[in-house]
Amino acid sequence: ISKPYEEKPWGYYYKFFITNKRIDDGIIFWKKYQPTLKEAERIYGVPAEIIVAILGIETSYGKNAGQYPVLQSLSTLAFDYPKRSAFFKSELEQYLLLTREQHLLASKMKGSYAGAIGIPQFISSSYRNFAVDFDKAGKIDLLNNIPNAIGSIANYFKIHGWKKHNQSIIFNAF
C-alpha cells in the first residue's frame, strides 16, 4: 500500500502483462464470451478489447481473484494505515453492506491485498454502485459470473465518462 504497483511506469509492467500465455488466454476468453462482449459494447460503448484487457490484467480472465481475506485487509487498512484511513473505513463499511445485501459471509471472501474483490477486482463501493446483472439472472454476482463482470466493467467505464466518438475512443476520467 505504501508503495503501490500502480505508480510504476508501463515499461515495468509490460513483461508481466504482455506474454504469450496471457495473449492466448485472452483470445480464448474473447472467443468464448464474444456475444456478451458485443452486447456490452453495444449498450455501453466500451470496446470488447478494453474489457478483455481489464479482465486479463486484473484477474487473468477470472482465474485469480485474490487470496487475501477481504475483511482482514480492509480492517487492517482502515485502522492501521492512517494515510488512507478514511477511504478504507468507508470501503469497510461498503463491504459489510455488500456482504449483507448479497448474502455472503464477510469473513470468508478473498480478494486483493487492498480489498478489491471478484472477477473485475472492484472495490466494495464500486461493486455496490456500478455492478450490473448483465445476464438478467436476477442477481449481481461478480465473484463467479463472467457476463456480470463484463457488463459491470463496461457500465463502470460509461458512468465514469467513457465516450465513443467517430471510431476513436476517448476516456474522460476527470
Side-chain angles (χ1 to χ4, degrees):
I1 287 291
S2 61
K3 295 187 180 212
Y5 290 112
E6 293 82 5
E7 291 181 0
K8 294 189 183 333
W10 168 243
Y12 174 83
Y13 293 108
Y14 185 86
K15 62 185 173 229
F16 300 113
F17 293 118
I18 310 299
T19 65
N20 288 335
K21 174 150 180 47
R22 194 176 305 266
I23 291 167
D24 292 345
D25 288 351
I27 291 167
I28 291 166
F29 179 90
W30 197 331
K31 286 179 180 177
K32 181 175 181 178
Y33 292 100
Q34 187 171 19
T36 305
L37 290 159
K38 280 186 179 183
E39 184 68 1
E41 185 170 352
R42 184 187 69 75
I43 292 170
Y44 300 106
V46 180
E49 59 266 26
I50 299 299
I51 298 167
V52 172
I54 294 293
L55 288 168
I57 289 169
E58 291 296 337
T59 61
S60 293
Y61 314 103
K63 294 176 191 153
N64 180 17
Q67 60 188 0
Y68 301 95
V70 175
L71 183 60
Q72 288 178 334
S73 294
L74 290 174
S75 296
T76 300
L77 292 166
F79 298 105
D80 291 340
Y81 187 61
K83 186 176 179 181
R84 298 198 57 209
S85 178
F87 171 78
F88 285 111
K89 282 179 183 174
S90 175
E91 287 306 315
L92 177 58
E93 177 185 15
Q94 294 295 312
Y95 177 70
L96 293 171
L97 290 169
L98 172 70
T99 57
R100 182 178 68 188
E101 292 162 359
Q102 297 283 325
H103 308 288
L104 302 166
L105 290 174
S107 62
K108 298 291 183 193
M109 290 182 56
K110 304 278 187 183
S112 77
Y113 69 93
I117 52 177
I119 298 162
Q121 289 293 279
F122 275 18
I123 57 173
S124 300
S125 60
S126 291
Y127 195 131
R128 291 188 72 229
N129 293 307
F130 309 117
V132 296
D133 177 14
F134 199 66
D135 65 356
K136 309 289 188 241
K139 182 179 180 184
I140 298 171
D141 177 9
L142 297 185
L143 305 175
N144 305 296
N145 188 303
I146 298 283
N148 280 201
I150 289 169
S152 296
I153 289 169
N155 183 52
Y156 179 94
F157 273 86
K158 177 159 177 124
I159 287 173
H160 285 87
W162 187 275
K163 306 253 187 269
K164 188 172 183 179
H165 178 62
N166 295 336
Q167 303 299 330
S168 63
I169 294 141
I170 301 167
F171 180 62
N172 295 322
F174 305 100

